[in-house]
Amino acid sequence: QKEVEQDPGPLSVPEGAIVSLNCTYSNSAFQYFMWYRQYSRKGPELLMYTYSSGNKEDGRFTAQVDKSSKYISLFIRDSQPSDSATYLCAMTGSNTDKLIFGTGTRLQVFP
Amino acid sequence: EAQVTQNPRYLITVTGKKLTVTCSQNMNHEYMSWYRQDPGLGLRQIYYSMNVEVTDKGDVPEGYKVSRKEKRNFPLILESPSPNQTSLYFCASSFGPNTEAFFGQGTRLTVV
């Protein structure tokens, strides 16, 4: 079993839709949770960062962490064609020096 | 401008011919990593370094070497490349594994 599981998609939605992206994980020591966005032929860039459980909102993006279920989510409201990219979850904790990535979900938002 | 610079961006080489991919960062970061990205497998960590002269294996270290003689540089060395090392490689740097990682533009390596 992988430490971090993420549905690879692809996910295709119309402009304006609400998008939900998810990851599950197995290591209960993970405390730091991130979402990276990767455009085609580019390196990943940090989109959202959450420590421990709870929600964090930044504009159209909301990150949620449910540590009891070992489940994290990224919601995108009013999705735009410019949101078309691969979204990678990443996480780490106090018992590791590694940042573990999910496989990434490819999202396409069509006009 | 804060950045991570990898070179080359594209490389085609033959089996067994040693090669080095360079990585340099200008943000004074302690933590640097190399990842490979393959379809369906995501980003997998090859090696990482917590600081100068401190390196450790990631999840897929076989066939790779690294060195960290200076804080800003973290080259990836393939002593005898094989076709299964054909991949997209990323270097990243940060203040630690639990802080924002900055990625280079990637190096697309093909081994024939």
Side-chain angles (χ1 to χ4, degrees), chain A residues 2-3 8 32 34 36 38 41-46 49 86 88 92 96-104, chain B residues 9-10 31 35 37 40-43 45 48 50 57-59 88 90 97-105:
Chain A
K2 290 182 182 177
E3 275 192 291
Y32 306 92
M34 306 169 211
Y36 284 81
Q38 184 178 20
R41 289 186 289 278
K42 299 283 190 182
E45 293 178 314
L46 182 67
Y49 181 104
T86 296
L88 302 114
T92 188
T96 179
D97 293 330
K98 300 176 187 178
L99 180 63
I100 311 297
F101 282 85
T103 52
Chain B
R9 292 287 312 276
Y10 302 92
Y31 189 87
Y35 296 88
Q37 189 172 35
L41 298 177
L43 275 170
Q45 195 175 44
Y48 64 96
M50 297 289 284
K57 296 177 181 178
D59 295 317
L88 179 58
F90 286 102
N98 59 352
T99 63
E100 179 179 3
F102 292 82
F103 284 81
Q105 289 285 75

Side-chain angles (χ1 to χ4, degrees), chain A residues 83-98:
Chain A
D83 295 327
S84 299
T86 296
Y87 291 80
L88 302 114
C89 62
M91 51 197 79
T92 188
S94 56
N95 66 344
T96 179
D97 293 330
K98 300 176 187 178

Side-chain angles (χ1 to χ4, degrees), chain B residues 38-85:
Chain B
D38 302 288
L41 298 177
L43 275 170
R44 293 181 293 166
Q45 195 175 44
I46 302 170
Y47 268 94
Y48 64 96
S49 169
M50 297 289 284
N51 214 323
V52 176
E53 302 291 3
V54 181
T55 63
D56 212 340
K57 296 177 181 178
D59 295 317
V60 287
E62 294 78 21
Y64 304 95
K65 284 176 58 176
V66 293
S67 69
R68 187 92 182 272
K69 293 183 170 54
E70 305 165 284
K71 197 172 189 179
R72 62 184 291 126
N73 295 323
F74 190 46
L76 178 70
I77 303 154
L78 285 72
E79 297 250 337
S80 183
S82 62
N84 65 11
Q85 293 178 297

Side-chain angles (χ1 to χ4, degrees), chain B residues 9-29:
Chain B
R9 292 287 312 276
Y10 302 92
L11 180 60
I12 301 175
T13 190
V14 295
T15 300
K17 185 176 182 183
K18 181 179 178 179
L19 66 92
T20 299
V21 185
T22 64
C23 175
S24 180
Q25 51 97 1
N26 63 0
M27 293 168 278
N28 202 35
H29 286 158

